[in-house]
Amino acid sequence: LGFTVPAEAAVHLHLDGAPFRRPAAFANLVRLFGHWRVPLWEALGTNSACRRLAPLPDELLQLVERRDQSWVEVCTAARGIGLTKYADVNLTQLVSARPARDTVEVRILPGSIDASAIVQAAALVEGLLLRCLDDSPIPRPDGGAAQDPAGALLDLAASGARR
């Protein structure tokens, strides 16, 4: 039928936000998409032509490293940072006082006409998001992540299952 993938295409995954409405899980979500941005883009093949992607604000990365904050305190502070939906991961609904939908939106999967490729990328993201639910902090990537981003991300996803 002549279908094509637009030059700026991206696949967005919407996931239940409820499990990430805890300070530890939210912090890990921010660490994953903040510190692991380059390996994520490399491993997933994120479309660099997609114009509505951006890194998470540095202030948000600093916020989640503060200890002993309640969920209400995290949300209030995060809203003050000025989050936008046009980031690699849309966290606006998580921290909203009145969310329109109860989701986390991962926006960095490349557009594809190949269903298998989309499912494989989604499976990697699912494993990483499950790791975010582990209360132990997600570490920063090491040198191996630059050499083998997919392998480093798979190791990171598996690290939560071993705990």
Side-chain angles (χ1 to χ4, degrees):
L1 298 175
F3 291 109
T4 60
V5 177
E8 297 173 354
V11 171
H12 299 181
L13 299 176
H14 290 261
L15 302 115
D16 181 14
F20 300 98
R21 283 200 175 87
R22 297 182 303 108
F26 183 77
N28 277 338
L29 193 59
V30 170
R31 289 180 190 113
L32 174 65
F33 286 93
H35 299 309
W36 288 81
R37 185 174 201 238
V38 172
L40 281 165
W41 276 52
E42 289 291 323
L44 294 172
T46 301
N47 183 355
S48 61
C50 186
R51 292 182 286 161
R52 293 197 167 186
L53 297 176
L56 293 173
D58 288 337
E59 297 88 353
L60 187 62
L61 290 162
Q62 294 166 9
L63 168 69
V64 300
E65 297 308 329
R66 296 182 201 145
R67 303 287 181 224
D68 299 323
Q69 297 180 92
S70 72
W71 177 241
V72 171
E73 291 169 324
V74 170
C75 289
T76 302
R79 285 193 301 269
I81 289 170
L83 296 179
T84 174
K85 73 181 248 175
Y86 300 117
D88 293 357
V89 60
N90 175 1
L91 303 175
T92 60
Q93 297 300 306
L94 277 183
V95 300
S96 173
R98 292 195 174 122
R101 56 196 120 350
D102 190 15
T103 64
V104 171
E105 178 189 16
V106 177
R107 303 169 48 85
I108 59 173
L109 280 71
S112 178
I113 203 160
D114 179 355
S116 178
I118 293 170
V119 170
Q120 285 181 323
L124 175 58
V125 171
E126 177 187 31
L128 292 165
L129 293 177
L130 288 172
R131 169 57 181 90
C132 289
L133 299 177
D134 184 322
D135 284 352
S136 62
I138 285 186
R140 289 178 180 259
D142 60 18
Q147 296 170 349
D148 181 13
L153 288 164
L154 287 169
D155 289 347
L156 178 61
S159 71
R162 291 188 288 241
R163 294 189 191 280

